């Protein structure tokens, strides 16, 4: 089902997580979502990524992406320490942002990003797709209805084997 409004996506970073996002986005109706540009620190890397995924524009800097008039929302898949800087760049250039987790490196950075989103009247969200799972919605309903009583503490572990993750070696 189409919403009738085309959302034009820009991708900040040409790495593996950005590739995963572009592939996932391609499962949605093309009449609703189109990736129109990708930016990377190196023009060659952006061009390679663009060619592989049929993206019409490859840019050699995140600033070029921020200034693009053809992009409505930017998915930020850069390295974690760059989330703050790139998020601010996009928000301050009028882009809506979906930022990969973690949102930033500390609370002060998160507050800065949220202040920029508010000041620029832009949508900003951390890319935590699991919050849209039906099981999460069910748990939220149980909490809202009081079926679980008063929630005082929640401990959560999220992990996976890291021995074979190249970027962590």
């Amino acid at each position: 089902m189409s919403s009738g409004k085309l959302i034009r996506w820009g991708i900040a970073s040409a790495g593996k997580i950005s590739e995963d996002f572009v592939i996932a986005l391609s499962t949605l109706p093309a009449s609703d979502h189109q990736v129109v540009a990708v930016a990377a620190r190196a023009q060659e890397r952006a061009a390679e990524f663009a060619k592989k995924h049929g993206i019409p524009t490859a840019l050699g800097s995140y600033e070029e992406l921020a200034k693009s008039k053809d992009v409505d929302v930017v998915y930020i898949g850069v390295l974690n320490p760059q989330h703050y800087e790139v998020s601010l760049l996009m928000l301050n250039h009028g882009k809506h942002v979906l930022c990969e987790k973690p949102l930033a490196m500390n609370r002060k950075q998160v507050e800065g990003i949220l202040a920029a989103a508010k000041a620029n009247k832009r949508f900003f969200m951390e890319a935590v797709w699991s919050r849209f799972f039906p099981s999460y919605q069910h748990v939220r309903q149980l909490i809202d209805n009081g079926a679980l009583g008063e929630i005082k503490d929640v401990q959560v572990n999220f992990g996976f084997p890291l021995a074979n993750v190249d970027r962590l070696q």
Side-chain angles (χ1 to χ4, degrees):
M1 179 193 276
S2 174
S3 71
K5 167 87 170 96
L6 176 65
I7 298 171
R8 301 170 304 165
W9 288 86
I11 307 297
S13 179
K16 173 73 171 107
I17 199 147
S18 294
E19 182 169 47
D20 292 345
F21 178 77
V22 168
I23 290 168
L25 196 61
S26 73
T27 66
L28 298 175
S31 58
D32 289 347
H33 300 273
Q34 183 180 9
V35 179
V36 298
V38 59
R41 291 174 291 173
Q43 170 67 36
E44 304 78 37
R45 183 77 178 104
E48 226 176 79
F49 191 95
K51 183 177 180 183
K52 181 176 183 179
H53 296 286
I55 300 169
T57 304
L59 304 167
S61 77
Y62 302 130
E63 187 168 348
E64 288 178 86
L65 181 61
K67 291 179 177 178
S68 174
K69 302 291 185 213
D70 298 325
V71 172
D72 303 311
V73 60
V74 174
Y75 169 79
I76 297 178
V78 300
L79 297 175
N80 297 350
Q82 295 176 298
H83 287 186
Y84 175 70
E85 177 186 337
V86 177
S87 292
L88 290 182
L89 177 67
M90 298 306 162
L91 290 166
N92 289 331
H93 280 85
K95 303 295 185 242
H96 302 284
V97 172
L98 177 63
C99 183
E100 195 49 67
K101 55 202 163 308
L103 228 170
M105 300 308 291
N106 57 55
R107 181 180 178 157
K108 184 177 179 183
Q109 288 183 351
V110 170
E111 289 170 348
I113 291 169
L114 297 178
K118 186 175 183 178
N120 290 292
K121 297 181 175 145
R122 298 291 98 186
F123 176 84
F124 182 89
M125 184 176 148
E126 184 177 29
V128 181
W129 49 274
S130 56
R131 75 173 57 154
F132 298 99
F133 286 177
S135 58
Y136 277 61
Q137 294 168 2
H138 179 68
V139 169
R140 170 55 58 198
Q141 185 178 30
L142 291 172
I143 292 169
D144 291 346
N145 293 338
L148 300 178
E150 180 185 358
I151 307 298
K152 295 180 181 181
D153 184 46
V154 176
Q155 293 185 17
V156 178
N157 293 309
F158 174 78
F160 49 91
L162 300 175
N164 297 318
V165 179
D166 291 337
R167 67 183 170 81
L168 300 177
Q169 300 300 313

